[in-house]
Amino acid sequence: GRSPSSARFRAENMITDDKKLLLACIGGTIISYNAFRIIKGLYDSSSKPEWIPVGTVKYLRVFPVKSCSGQEVFSLHCGPLGVSSGDLRDREFLVINGKTGLFLTARAFPKMILMECTAADGVLKVAVPNGRSVNVVLDDVVNRNVVRRGTLHKQSQADGLDCGDEVGALFDEFLGITDTRVIYYQPRLFNGRPCKPHSDWWNNPVPKRNDTIMYADLAPYLVTTEGSLAALNNKLQTPVTSLNFRGNIVVDHCAAWDEDKWAEIRIGEAELQCFKPCTRCILTTVDPSTGEKDADMQPLKKLREFRLAPEGRMKKALGESPLFGVNAGLARAGYIHVGQTVYVKYKPSAF
């Protein structure tokens, strides 16, 4: 027969073998998991877009009154509604016809672009080239609380506070029209102009957003590049400047049309999310220094020769308006200044 000691020995050996097998299984699992993490990390890091430096900030501009002259500044704050610098906030005022509510722009009244508009210490100042100016005390505008409705592109509407007779009369006199009013954006008032990107604006996936805008045409931000401007000017007899395109942020030192491929932009603390190439109109033909339209419709005519949306759904959505610059919304608020490095994350392809 078997002795108790020999049975006990065999049992202990079996337990030891089971422990070895269990430890081997645990060790194999740990090794496999760590290998998986390493491989996954390598895959993720290779497929995830990274921030790439592409240029530097050359100009920063705020256009307080839509279609009037802008202010060039050293630094800006990037917020949900767009750029600001002190009391200067982009497209915070809109010029309208007092009877119809239709907005007035330099597309129809090119001399508007010569009207100098500044804001400081709670006062909007509007000046015309002959030296005459009007100061609008914004607290008085708020206290009067006279609400008017403006009608912009595609019959979209937004309310604002009437800025008074004196500034309206200044526009009437300078532009040779009547019944002009200036309205002041207020977040508490009706705004029927949400910016919701459409899936056909790019062939790449378009970000799902819902931005609030003041009186900008479409988006809180417009970014252009000096590289694309130089490429355009190489095709023109008379060069134009970045002021023809009225962007808030102008980037230097990047390749021409590089902005076609930008998905996100980072400058200092601020981050923007791109969602549409900017379609251009007749306003680009107005000379910012003279307030006169180009007789040959340049640079719009030249842009139409080589900067239309590609055929397909983009072309159907954007039509015959040529593309220059990129529209964006806020991803992270912050301050930016001239000279900072501009970083971007790229889309898979242009448009």
Side-chain angles (χ1 to χ4, degrees), residues 42-221:
L42 289 172
Y43 174 79
D44 287 348
S45 63
S46 64
S47 61
K48 185 178 180 181
E50 60 179 328
W51 290 110
I52 299 180
V54 295
T56 58
V57 177
K58 184 170 184 178
Y59 301 117
L60 295 173
R61 297 186 176 117
V62 188
F63 300 87
V65 181
K66 185 177 180 65
S67 260
C68 293
S69 178
Q71 296 295 316
E72 191 172 308
V73 297
F74 173 72
S75 65
L76 286 174
H77 182 262
C78 296
L81 295 177
V83 299
S84 62
S85 177
D87 283 355
L88 292 170
R89 285 175 282 275
D90 196 59
R91 276 84 171 187
E92 190 176 31
F93 297 89
L94 179 70
V95 184
I96 65 172
N97 179 284
K99 290 184 177 179
T100 66
L102 289 175
F103 75 134
L104 309 181
T105 75
R107 297 172 180 89
F109 303 97
K111 285 173 61 178
M112 283 180 70
I113 219 162
L114 301 178
M115 301 182 78
E116 189 79 14
C117 302
T118 60
D121 301 320
V123 176
L124 169 69
K125 180 180 179 179
V126 181
V128 295
N130 65 14
R132 189 178 166 215
S133 64
V134 169
N135 289 337
V136 179
V137 179
L138 298 179
D139 278 348
D140 292 347
V141 173
V142 173
N143 290 334
R144 285 196 303 267
N145 197 37
V146 178
V147 178
R148 289 183 180 269
R149 180 157 295 181
T151 301
L152 294 92
H153 297 286
K154 298 180 180 178
Q155 299 301 305
S156 63
Q157 294 182 317
D159 288 352
L161 297 182
D162 190 289
C163 289
D165 295 339
E166 194 176 2
V167 69
L170 182 66
F171 275 88
D172 282 347
E173 179 184 316
F174 187 65
L175 300 179
I177 56 179
T178 59
D179 300 313
T180 306
R181 310 305 292 185
V182 177
I183 60 175
Y184 174 31
Y185 179 84
Q186 297 288 291
R188 63 181 172 84
L189 298 180
F190 168 77
N191 184 353
R193 305 180 63 242
C195 177
K196 295 181 179 180
H198 194 282
S199 60
D200 290 345
W201 285 353
W202 274 342
N203 288 324
N204 290 282
V206 176
K208 295 184 183 300
R209 303 180 56 92
N210 187 359
D211 290 289
T212 298
I213 54 175
M214 291 194 277
Y215 300 125
D217 279 354
L218 175 78
Y221 293 87

Side-chain angles (χ1 to χ4, degrees), residues 254-320:
C254 65
W257 318 118
D258 197 54
E259 66 272 24
D260 293 346
K261 303 187 290 290
W262 295 354
E264 298 174 66
I265 303 170
R266 190 184 78 199
I267 306 170
E269 305 169 354
E271 292 181 14
L272 306 178
Q273 186 177 46
C274 304
F275 55 76
K276 178 183 173 291
C278 186
T279 48
R280 309 316 305 221
C281 69
I282 197 171
L283 186 54
T284 60
T285 70
V286 179
D287 187 328
S289 62
T290 65
E292 297 177 354
K293 288 181 181 176
D294 183 80
D296 194 33
M297 297 294 291
Q298 299 294 4
L300 188 64
K301 184 177 177 181
K302 181 58 67 175
L303 281 170
R304 281 182 175 145
E305 293 179 9
F306 72 107
R307 287 292 297 172
L308 295 180
E311 291 295 334
R313 63 179 189 174
M314 270 188 73
K315 183 65 176 298
K316 187 176 180 180
L318 304 180
E320 296 300 313

Side-chain angles (χ1 to χ4, degrees), residues 23-38:
L23 290 172
C25 290
I26 292 171
T29 301
I30 292 172
I31 292 170
S32 299
Y33 174 71
N34 285 334
F36 168 77
R37 286 183 62 190
I38 291 170

